[in-house]
């Protein structure tokens, strides 16, 4: 399979030239809003009893596009578990402003639920809901229940402002058609992106999809509603509508592009709502328009102390995530959940954690100008001269009032969370001597765990592949990437 992906790379790049393959922000914002409340109300007012299957059938009658636009997740880190033969289905509207999900095996968690994500074009916020079925009636949850917020936003966020959980271009762990241009890196042990779990899963995709297509879809009341994926001349499967069969991975790529567009609008709104927006909105504009960070001398010196390794006068495309942190994090504005990656820090990203198949700088620029129209019409020369001569009065007031220094994290180190549960009988967790380095070193070698040794099990459960009910910490806390890296280094050092 991997040899064929060398050809896939070239084909994928050809797709980029076709502007019709991807949707811009104005197209997405013009999509009619799916009336979820009205849809549920109409079904409850009918004389027929409702079930999850009948609801899907009614949805297909009213919105057939959902069953042509979809992603299949054979490994899902959500509340809805899945497998190769019974994947989680992510039904999508034309531009992904509404996504409805379900799975297909009675023993999988979330089997009797539909999960819904919608993007509100007025507030530029995502909303999450759960649909339940009981006694022939449909129950729609309130917006953003806590069970959704546990995964769809930063655990330290005090308000509800969720985002999709979807990895940046070009690798999507657990999805059929899981990789594009990064495929060969996954299987190369010398690559920084090498991941034996993802490489093994991806090598099984075509074989398992064919089995799913032949044995499950025909008679399954949920999966039979789907328009089957197209098989291209290389033998790879992908879902698509009216596209050439020479295309590769088009839908996972297009789905990524659409979510990136939507999240860019959310990101622009978050920037507008930040306490430093008046001084820094043109700094962000210069970042995406000119690939430079322009600051007055007294401010740039202060920032450089916190990011000494970032050459913000000669930025590279992969520096965008660091550059956004460079601007906002010193003011204690957390940017962890500004991107969509789910606890990976963009580890599998082609460029950076905000990345899509199109150039994200251009996407964010359009989003910024949409949310803050006053940013239209600036040239790089005018931005540079204005910003370097500026007096960041409001930001200076912030620093004087709060005596701002590089924020010291008050987050309990990840190893302390392990100690608090696994060395005390009160939590019912298996005993592991996290509080004794010598004993822990010996215990990590113990075999017999699902992933091999205790060390292998710990690294899996705290890593990017653990499913929802396997993940540690088990209290719903989503560690920051730096915490995970520090914890992994500590475990590997023993």
């Amino acid at each position: 399979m991997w040899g064929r992906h060398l050809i896939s790379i070239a084909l994928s790049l050809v797709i980029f030239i076709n502007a019709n393959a991807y949707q811009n922000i104005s197209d997405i914002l013009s999509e009619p809003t799916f009336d979820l409340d009205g849809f549920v109300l109409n079904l409850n007012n009918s004389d027929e009893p409702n079930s999850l299957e009948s609801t899907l059938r009614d949805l297909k009658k009213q919105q057939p596009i959902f069953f042509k636009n979809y992603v299949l997740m054979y490994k899902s880190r959500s509340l809805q578990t899945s497998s190769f033969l019974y994947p989680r289905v992510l039904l999508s509207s034309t531009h992904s402003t509404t996504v409805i999900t379900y799975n297909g095996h009675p023993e999988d968690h979330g089997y009797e639920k539909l999960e819904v994500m919608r993007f509100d074009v007025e507030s530029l916020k995502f909303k999450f809901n759960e649909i339940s079925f009981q006694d022939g009636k449909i129950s729609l949850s309130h917006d953003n229940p806590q069970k959704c917020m546990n995964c769809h936003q930063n655990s330290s966020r005090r308000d509800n402002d969720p985002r999709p959980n979807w990895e940046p271009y070009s690798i999507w762990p657990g999805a059929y058609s899981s990789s594009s241009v990064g495929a060969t890196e996954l299987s190369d042990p010398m690559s920084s992106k090498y991941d034996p779990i993802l490489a093994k899963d991806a090598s099984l995709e075509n074989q398992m999809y064919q089995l799913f297509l032949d044995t499950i879809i025909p008679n399954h009341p949920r999966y039979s509603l789907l328009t089957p994926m197209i098989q291209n001349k290389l033998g790879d499967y992908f879902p698509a509508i009216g596209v050439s069969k020479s295309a590769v991975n088009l839908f996972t790529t297009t789905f990524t592009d659409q979510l990136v567009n939507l999240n860019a609008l959310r990101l622009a709104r978050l920037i507008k709502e930040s306490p430093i927006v008046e001084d820094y909105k043109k700094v962000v504009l210069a970042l995406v328009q000119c690939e430079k960070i322009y600051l007055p001398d007294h401010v740039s010196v202060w920032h450089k102390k916190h990011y000494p390794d970032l050459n913000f006068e000669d930025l590279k495309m992969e520096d965008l995530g660091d550059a956004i942190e460079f601007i906002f994090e010193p003011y204690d504005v957390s940017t962890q959940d500004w991107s969509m990656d789910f606890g990976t820090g963009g580890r599998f990203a082609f460029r950076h954690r905000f990345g899509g198949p199109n150039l994200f700088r251009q996407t964010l620029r359009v989003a910024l100008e949409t949310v803050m129209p006053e940013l239209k019409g600036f040239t790089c020369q005018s931005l540079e001269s204005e910003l370097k001569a500026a007096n960041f009065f409001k930001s200076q007031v912030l620093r004087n009032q709060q005596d701002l220094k590089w924020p010291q994290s008050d987050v309990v180190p990840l190893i302390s969370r392990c100690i608090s549960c696994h060395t005390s009988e009160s939590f019912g967790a298996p005993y592991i001597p996290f509080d004794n380095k010598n004993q822990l070193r010996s215990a990590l070698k113990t075999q017999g765990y699902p992933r091999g040794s205790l060390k292998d099990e710990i690294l899996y459960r705290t890593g990017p592949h653990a499913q929802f009910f396997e993940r540690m910490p088990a209290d719903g806390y989503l560690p920051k990437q730096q915490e995970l890296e520090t914890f992994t280094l500590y475990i590997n050092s023993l």
Side-chain angles (χ1 to χ4, degrees):
M1 177 179 178
W2 292 111
R4 294 199 304 271
H5 276 290
L6 292 174
I7 304 172
S8 299
I9 293 172
L11 290 171
S12 295
L13 293 176
V14 170
I15 293 170
F16 294 164
I17 301 173
N18 182 3
N20 293 327
Y22 303 103
Q23 310 299 324
N24 61 39
I25 285 176
S26 61
D27 290 333
I28 290 175
L29 290 178
S30 66
E31 178 170 290
T33 301
F34 177 66
D35 184 6
L36 179 64
D37 299 85
F39 175 73
V40 170
L41 180 62
N42 287 337
L43 290 181
N44 276 332
N45 286 338
S46 69
D47 295 330
E48 298 296 324
N50 296 293
S51 66
L52 191 146
E53 288 78 11
S54 68
T55 299
L56 290 176
R57 290 194 296 270
D58 283 311
L59 177 64
K60 185 171 183 177
K61 290 178 183 177
Q62 298 181 33
Q63 301 279 342
I65 192 67
F66 278 99
F67 296 85
K68 298 178 182 179
N69 280 352
Y70 61 89
V71 171
L72 299 176
M73 302 295 298
Y74 53 80
K75 281 189 178 178
S76 173
R77 299 177 67 196
S78 73
L79 288 168
Q80 292 176 327
T81 53
S82 61
S83 64
F84 274 111
L85 291 183
Y86 295 92
R88 185 184 186 219
V89 182
L90 280 62
L91 304 173
S92 175
S93 61
T94 303
H95 301 309
S96 300
T97 57
T98 300
V99 177
I100 301 174
T101 73
Y102 63 90
N103 57 17
H105 196 284
E107 293 183 4
D108 280 334
H109 192 275
Y111 177 73
E112 292 297 343
K113 309 278 188 181
L114 291 174
E115 294 183 352
V116 184
M117 181 188 77
R118 291 174 290 168
F119 184 75
D120 184 354
V121 297
E122 298 297 327
S123 65
L124 302 182
K125 289 186 175 184
F126 289 96
K127 296 192 296 185
F128 289 78
N129 300 91
E130 182 180 72
I131 297 178
S132 305
F133 301 86
Q134 187 173 9
D135 299 328
K137 292 294 183 181
I138 305 175
S139 175
L140 180 64
S141 75
H142 60 82
D143 291 344
N144 301 329
Q146 187 57 46
K147 63 169 67 177
C148 300
M149 298 303 97
N150 286 340
C151 290
H152 284 279
Q153 65 179 33
N154 189 342
S155 53
S156 63
R157 180 177 285 280
R158 294 178 178 84
D159 58 336
N160 278 348
D161 206 326
R163 83 289 197 271
N165 290 332
W166 190 252
E167 291 301 307
Y169 184 80
S170 60
I171 295 170
W172 306 281
Y176 276 110
S177 295
S178 64
S179 57
S180 187
V181 297
T184 54
E185 293 181 303
L186 276 178
S187 59
D188 180 2
M190 303 304 293
S191 168
S192 61
K193 289 184 172 62
Y194 172 66
D195 191 297
I197 294 177
L198 295 189
K200 180 180 179 181
D201 287 346
S203 70
L204 296 172
E205 284 180 22
N206 282 337
Q207 170 191 346
M208 297 307 295
Y209 179 74
Q210 184 67 59
L211 194 59
F212 169 68
L213 191 69
D214 293 340
T215 64
I216 305 299
I217 280 187
N219 300 310
H220 197 285
R222 300 179 182 184
Y223 297 131
S224 61
L225 297 170
L226 301 171
T227 300
M229 291 181 178
I230 296 171
Q231 184 180 23
N232 66 17
K233 61 186 178 182
L234 297 178
D236 296 325
Y237 286 98
F238 58 97
I241 308 171
V243 298
S244 166
K245 290 189 178 182
S246 65
V248 178
N249 295 327
L250 184 58
F251 187 75
T252 41
T253 303
T254 304
F255 184 62
T256 302
D257 189 62
Q258 292 171 345
L259 292 184
V260 165
N261 274 275
L262 295 175
N263 196 58
L265 287 163
R266 171 180 175 266
L267 176 55
R269 174 183 54 77
L270 287 168
I271 291 171
K272 182 178 181 180
E273 293 172 353
S274 72
I276 61 171
V277 61
E278 289 306 318
D279 286 323
Y280 281 84
K281 60 185 177 183
K282 291 179 183 176
V283 177
V284 179
L285 178 64
L287 168 64
V288 299
Q289 181 172 325
C290 315
E291 299 189 38
K292 302 282 187 182
I293 297 180
Y294 299 130
L295 291 167
D297 290 341
H298 68 286
V299 178
S300 66
V301 169
W302 184 69
H303 279 276
K304 285 179 180 178
K305 290 179 180 178
H306 307 311
Y307 275 85
D309 297 328
L310 180 65
N311 182 6
F312 66 84
E313 294 171 350
D314 185 23
L315 293 170
K316 299 179 176 61
M317 295 183 73
E318 59 266 25
D319 291 333
L320 182 66
D322 289 338
I324 288 176
E325 292 179 17
F326 174 92
I327 294 170
F328 291 96
E329 297 278 351
Y331 289 99
D332 208 13
V333 177
S334 174
T335 66
Q336 182 190 5
D337 65 3
W338 285 16
S339 58
M340 299 186 295
D341 56 283
F342 187 23
T344 65
R347 171 187 166 193
F348 305 114
F350 180 54
R351 292 194 177 97
H352 52 76
R353 65 187 177 105
F354 292 94
N358 288 323
L359 189 60
F360 182 71
R361 294 180 190 278
Q362 296 175 355
T363 301
L364 183 54
R365 178 185 175 183
V366 173
L368 288 168
E369 292 176 349
T370 301
V371 174
M372 292 177 276
E374 67 271 20
L375 294 181
K376 294 180 179 178
F378 287 92
T379 66
C380 291
Q381 183 178 3
S382 65
L383 285 168
E384 179 179 14
S385 59
E386 178 180 340
L387 286 168
K388 287 192 172 181
N391 177 12
F392 279 27
F393 177 76
K394 291 183 180 180
S395 300
Q396 189 68 48
V397 169
L398 275 174
R399 290 201 299 278
N400 290 340
Q401 287 179 341
Q402 301 179 24
D403 190 25
L404 280 175
K405 299 177 182 178
W406 184 245
Q408 299 297 313
S409 174
D410 57 358
V411 175
V412 178
L414 201 52
I415 191 69
S416 298
R417 289 180 177 271
C418 300
I419 291 171
S420 66
C421 290
H422 287 278
T423 59
S424 171
E425 295 181 359
S426 60
F427 288 96
Y431 175 77
I432 301 173
F434 284 106
D435 55 346
N436 187 307
K437 191 171 183 178
N438 289 330
Q439 291 181 17
L440 180 60
R441 182 183 292 112
S442 178
L444 290 175
K445 301 175 184 177
T446 307
Q447 298 292 321
Y449 290 87
R451 256 60 59 168
S453 68
L454 175 60
K455 176 182 177 180
D456 295 330
E457 189 71 14
I458 290 171
L459 293 179
Y460 169 81
R461 286 177 176 261
T462 56
H465 302 302
Q467 309 301 290
F468 181 84
F469 297 100
E470 302 170 321
R471 197 165 66 234
M472 291 292 164
D475 59 1
Y477 176 75
L478 188 62
K480 294 182 179 179
Q481 186 63 20
Q482 186 176 1
E483 292 177 85
L484 286 173
E485 290 174 357
T486 301
F487 176 79
T488 300
L489 284 173
Y490 174 73
I491 294 298
N492 281 329
S493 70
L494 297 178

